[in-house]
Amino acid sequence: MTRMSAPETPQAAPRILSGMQPTSDSLHIGNYLGALVNWVKLQDDHDAFYFVADLHALTVPTDPEVLRERTRKTVAQFIAGGVDPQRSSLFCQSHVPEHAELGWVMNCLTGDGEARRMTQFKDKTAKGQSANVGLLTYPMLMAADILLYDTAFVPVGEDQRQHLEITRDLAGRFNTRFGEALVVPEPYIVKGSAKIMDLQDPTSKMSKTGSSPKGLIDLMQDPAKIAKNIRSAVTDTEAEIRYDVANKAGVSNLLIIHSTLSGQSIDELESSFVGRGYGDLKKEVADVVVAAIEPFQVRMAELLDDPAELDRILASGAERARGVAQSTMVRVRERVGLLPAAR
């Protein structure tokens, strides 16, 4: 039998892949400014694959109806935020069964101690999350998500860097043991990407699971609630409005949100707020945020009014994704010695 190797024909554009879990009813502004805005830009010069990580969401107790609803809401928010299903492959992780199959192969290449040393597993179990096997093997499934599509680049923040490193390690381990079959991905660090912090704890990143309701700016929140959360944002006992993350984390976070949405530089904002108080800053940030997300909310409402169209978009994206995934798994199965199914 002739051995198959990884694709040698260069792609028209480098492939990039990223995903988000459907773990809440709404993405927050940190998801939007830190990830989704960049996804939209990357469509222009990359072969983009974006997915809803519904299998990963099963690592915590989940109500089935809520998960289905949140999955549709998440993909609708991708589209409302500017992801174009005509230019990007947009799909659900569970609609491509090869994710789970390659995830098992990655499990079999990973040592128990190696898995238990992963930062996210240690952090979540330390905070009381159930230490189920799915949580332990989460990074192996994430590796499969990436390697399944011959992904050249993966947009990552610091909190995901370790997971990309184990992906690269597993790809190299597979290729060394079985022969070249998997593309080793590179991190894609987006320059100037906004890191949005919790409004109530501005030393911590805004998080769907870690932030309190008052610490979040949810994209689907009522505008009055958004403004209220911003008005109650933690600042400091000084009065000067300046960017100083070490000493003025809350004020700096508000300036970053304003700057990223309004397009004004931090220097320009500092100058405009000379002699003004924190109340003025918070009011202006609230106005900027509400104005920016209004068209997003209108588009979301339109999309959610037609769930059949959302399902059609996901089916189309999964069809293309599965074509790539199946090609990868043909190589993987042949390399590891699995007997081909009779036709």
Coordinates of all heavy atoms in Angstrom, one line a residue, residues 294-333:
E294 N -26.0 48.8 19.1 CA -27.4 48.9 18.6 C -27.6 48.1 17.3 O -28.5 47.3 17.2 CB -27.8 50.3 18.5 CG -29.3 50.4 18.1 CD -29.7 51.9 17.9 OE1 -28.9 52.8 17.9 OE2 -30.9 52.1 17.7
P295 N -26.8 48.4 16.3 CA -27.0 47.6 15.0 C -26.8 46.1 15.2 O -27.4 45.3 14.5 CB -26.0 48.2 14.0 CG -25.0 48.9 14.9 CD -25.7 49.4 16.1
F296 N -25.9 45.7 16.1 CA -25.6 44.3 16.4 C -26.9 43.7 16.9 O -27.3 42.6 16.5 CB -24.5 44.2 17.4 CG -24.2 42.8 17.8 CD1 -23.3 42.0 17.2 CD2 -24.9 42.2 18.9 CE1 -23.0 40.7 17.6 CE2 -24.6 41.0 19.3 CZ -23.7 40.2 18.7
Q297 N -27.6 44.4 17.9 CA -28.8 43.8 18.5 C -29.9 43.7 17.5 O -30.7 42.8 17.5 CB -29.2 44.7 19.7 CG -28.2 44.6 20.8 CD -28.7 45.3 22.1 OE1 -29.6 46.1 22.1 NE2 -28.1 45.0 23.2
V298 N -30.0 44.7 16.6 CA -31.1 44.7 15.5 C -30.9 43.5 14.6 O -31.8 42.7 14.3 CB -31.1 46.0 14.7 CG1 -32.0 45.9 13.5 CG2 -31.5 47.2 15.6
R299 N -29.6 43.3 14.2 CA -29.3 42.1 13.3 C -29.5 40.8 14.0 O -30.0 39.9 13.4 CB -27.8 42.3 12.8 CG -27.4 41.1 11.9 CD -28.2 41.1 10.6 NE -27.7 40.1 9.7 CZ -28.4 39.3 9.0 NH1 -29.8 39.4 9.0 NH2 -27.9 38.4 8.1
M300 N -29.2 40.7 15.3 CA -29.4 39.5 16.1 C -30.9 39.2 16.1 O -31.3 38.0 15.9 CB -28.9 39.7 17.5 CG -27.5 39.3 17.7 SD -27.3 37.5 17.7 CE -28.3 37.0 19.0
A301 N -31.7 40.1 16.3 CA -33.2 39.9 16.4 C -33.7 39.3 15.0 O -34.5 38.4 15.0 CB -33.9 41.2 16.7
E302 N -33.2 39.9 13.9 CA -33.5 39.4 12.6 C -33.1 37.9 12.4 O -33.9 37.1 11.9 CB -32.9 40.2 11.5 CG -33.4 41.7 11.5 CD -32.6 42.5 10.5 OE1 -31.5 42.0 10.0 OE2 -32.9 43.7 10.3
L303 N -31.9 37.6 12.8 CA -31.4 36.2 12.6 C -32.2 35.2 13.5 O -32.5 34.1 13.0 CB -29.9 36.2 13.0 CG -29.0 36.9 12.0 CD1 -27.6 37.2 12.6 CD2 -28.8 36.1 10.7
L304 N -32.5 35.6 14.7 CA -33.1 34.7 15.6 C -34.6 34.5 15.3 O -35.2 33.5 15.7 CB -33.0 35.2 17.1 CG -31.6 35.1 17.7 CD1 -31.5 35.7 19.1 CD2 -31.1 33.6 17.7
D305 N -35.1 35.4 14.5 CA -36.5 35.2 14.0 C -36.6 34.1 12.9 O -37.7 33.8 12.5 CB -37.0 36.5 13.4 CG -37.5 37.5 14.5 OD1 -37.8 37.0 15.7 OD2 -37.7 38.7 14.3
D306 N -35.5 33.7 12.4 CA -35.5 32.7 11.3 C -34.5 31.6 11.7 O -33.4 31.4 11.0 CB -35.1 33.3 10.0 CG -35.4 32.5 8.8 OD1 -35.8 31.3 9.0 OD2 -35.2 32.9 7.7
P307 N -34.8 30.7 12.7 CA -33.9 29.6 13.1 C -33.6 28.7 11.9 O -32.6 28.1 11.9 CB -34.6 29.0 14.2 CG -36.1 29.4 14.1 CD -36.0 30.7 13.5
A308 N -34.6 28.5 11.0 CA -34.4 27.5 9.9 C -33.2 28.0 9.0 O -32.4 27.2 8.5 CB -35.6 27.4 9.1
E309 N -33.1 29.3 8.9 CA -32.0 29.9 8.0 C -30.7 29.7 8.8 O -29.7 29.4 8.1 CB -32.3 31.3 7.7 CG -31.1 32.1 7.0 CD -30.8 31.5 5.6 OE1 -31.6 30.6 5.1 OE2 -29.8 31.9 5.1
L310 N -30.7 29.9 10.1 CA -29.5 29.6 10.9 C -29.0 28.2 10.7 O -27.8 27.9 10.5 CB -29.7 30.0 12.3 CG -29.7 31.4 12.7 CD1 -30.1 31.6 14.2 CD2 -28.4 32.1 12.4
D311 N -30.0 27.3 10.8 CA -29.7 25.8 10.7 C -29.1 25.5 9.3 O -28.2 24.7 9.1 CB -30.9 25.0 10.9 CG -31.3 25.0 12.4 OD1 -30.5 25.6 13.2 OD2 -32.4 24.5 12.7
R312 N -29.7 26.2 8.2 CA -29.2 26.0 6.9 C -27.8 26.5 6.7 O -26.9 25.8 6.1 CB -30.1 26.8 5.9 CG -29.8 26.5 4.4 CD -30.3 27.6 3.5 NE -29.6 28.9 3.8 CZ -28.4 29.2 3.4 NH1 -27.6 28.3 2.7 NH2 -27.9 30.3 3.6
I313 N -27.5 27.6 7.3 CA -26.1 28.2 7.3 C -25.1 27.2 8.0 O -24.0 26.9 7.4 CB -26.0 29.6 8.0 CG1 -26.8 30.6 7.1 CG2 -24.6 30.0 8.2 CD1 -27.0 31.9 7.8
L314 N -25.5 26.7 9.1 CA -24.7 25.7 9.8 C -24.5 24.4 9.0 O -23.4 23.9 9.0 CB -25.3 25.4 11.2 CG -25.2 26.5 12.2 CD1 -26.0 26.2 13.5 CD2 -23.7 26.8 12.6
A315 N -25.5 24.0 8.4 CA -25.4 22.7 7.6 C -24.5 22.9 6.4 O -23.7 22.1 6.1 CB -26.8 22.3 7.1
S316 N -24.6 24.1 5.8 CA -23.7 24.4 4.6 C -22.2 24.5 5.1 O -21.3 23.9 4.4 CB -24.1 25.7 4.0 OG -23.2 26.1 2.9
G317 N -22.0 25.2 6.2 CA -20.6 25.3 6.8 C -20.1 23.9 7.1 O -18.9 23.6 6.9
A318 N -20.9 23.1 7.8 CA -20.5 21.7 8.2 C -20.1 20.8 7.0 O -19.2 20.0 7.1 CB -21.6 21.1 9.1
E319 N -20.9 21.0 5.9 CA -20.6 20.2 4.7 C -19.2 20.5 4.2 O -18.4 19.6 3.9 CB -21.6 20.5 3.6 CG -21.5 19.7 2.4 CD -22.5 20.0 1.3 OE1 -23.3 20.9 1.5 OE2 -22.6 19.2 0.3
R320 N -18.8 21.8 4.1 CA -17.5 22.1 3.7 C -16.4 21.7 4.7 O -15.4 21.1 4.3 CB -17.3 23.6 3.4 CG -15.9 23.9 3.1 CD -15.7 25.3 2.4 NE -14.4 25.4 1.9 CZ -13.4 26.1 2.5 NH1 -13.7 26.8 3.6 NH2 -12.2 26.1 2.1
A321 N -16.7 21.9 6.0 CA -15.8 21.5 7.0 C -15.6 20.0 7.0 O -14.4 19.5 7.1 CB -16.3 22.0 8.4
R322 N -16.6 19.3 6.8 CA -16.5 17.8 6.9 C -15.7 17.3 5.7 O -15.0 16.3 5.8 CB -17.9 17.1 6.9 CG -17.7 15.7 7.3 CD -18.9 15.1 7.9 NE -18.6 13.8 8.5 CZ -19.3 12.7 8.5 NH1 -20.6 12.8 8.1 NH2 -18.9 11.6 9.1
G323 N -15.8 17.9 4.6 CA -15.0 17.5 3.4 C -13.5 17.6 3.8 O -12.7 16.7 3.4
V324 N -13.1 18.7 4.4 CA -11.7 18.8 4.8 C -11.3 17.8 5.9 O -10.3 17.1 5.9 CB -11.4 20.2 5.3 CG1 -9.9 20.4 5.8 CG2 -11.7 21.3 4.2
A325 N -12.2 17.7 6.9 CA -12.0 16.8 8.0 C -11.8 15.3 7.6 O -11.0 14.6 8.1 CB -13.1 16.9 9.1
Q326 N -12.7 14.9 6.7 CA -12.6 13.5 6.2 C -11.3 13.2 5.5 O -10.8 12.1 5.7 CB -13.8 13.2 5.3 CG -15.2 13.1 6.0 CD -16.3 13.0 5.1 OE1 -16.3 13.4 4.0 NE2 -17.4 12.3 5.6
S327 N -10.8 14.2 4.8 CA -9.6 14.0 4.1 C -8.4 13.8 5.1 O -7.5 13.0 4.9 CB -9.3 15.2 3.2 OG -8.0 15.1 2.6
T328 N -8.4 14.6 6.2 CA -7.4 14.5 7.2 C -7.5 13.1 7.9 O -6.5 12.5 8.1 CB -7.6 15.6 8.3 OG1 -7.5 16.9 7.6 CG2 -6.6 15.5 9.4
M329 N -8.7 12.7 8.2 CA -8.9 11.4 8.9 C -8.5 10.2 8.0 O -8.1 9.2 8.5 CB -10.3 11.3 9.4 CG -10.6 12.2 10.6 SD -9.4 12.1 11.9 CE -9.4 10.3 12.4
V330 N -8.6 10.3 6.7 CA -8.1 9.2 5.8 C -6.6 9.1 6.1 O -6.1 7.9 6.2 CB -8.4 9.5 4.3 CG1 -7.6 8.6 3.4 CG2 -9.9 9.4 4.1
R331 N -5.9 10.2 6.1 CA -4.5 10.1 6.3 C -4.2 9.6 7.7 O -3.3 8.7 7.9 CB -3.8 11.5 6.2 CG -4.0 12.1 4.9 CD -3.0 13.3 4.7 NE -3.1 14.3 5.8 CZ -3.9 15.4 5.8 NH1 -4.7 15.6 4.8 NH2 -3.9 16.2 6.8
V332 N -4.9 10.0 8.7 CA -4.7 9.6 10.1 C -4.9 8.1 10.3 O -4.1 7.4 10.9 CB -5.5 10.5 11.1 CG1 -5.5 9.9 12.5 CG2 -5.0 11.9 11.1
R333 N -6.1 7.7 9.8 CA -6.4 6.3 10.0 C -5.4 5.4 9.3 O -5.0 4.3 9.8 CB -7.8 6.0 9.4 CG -8.9 6.6 10.1 CD -10.3 6.2 9.6 NE -11.3 7.1 9.9 CZ -12.0 7.9 9.1 NH1 -11.6 7.9 7.8 NH2 -12.9 8.7 9.5

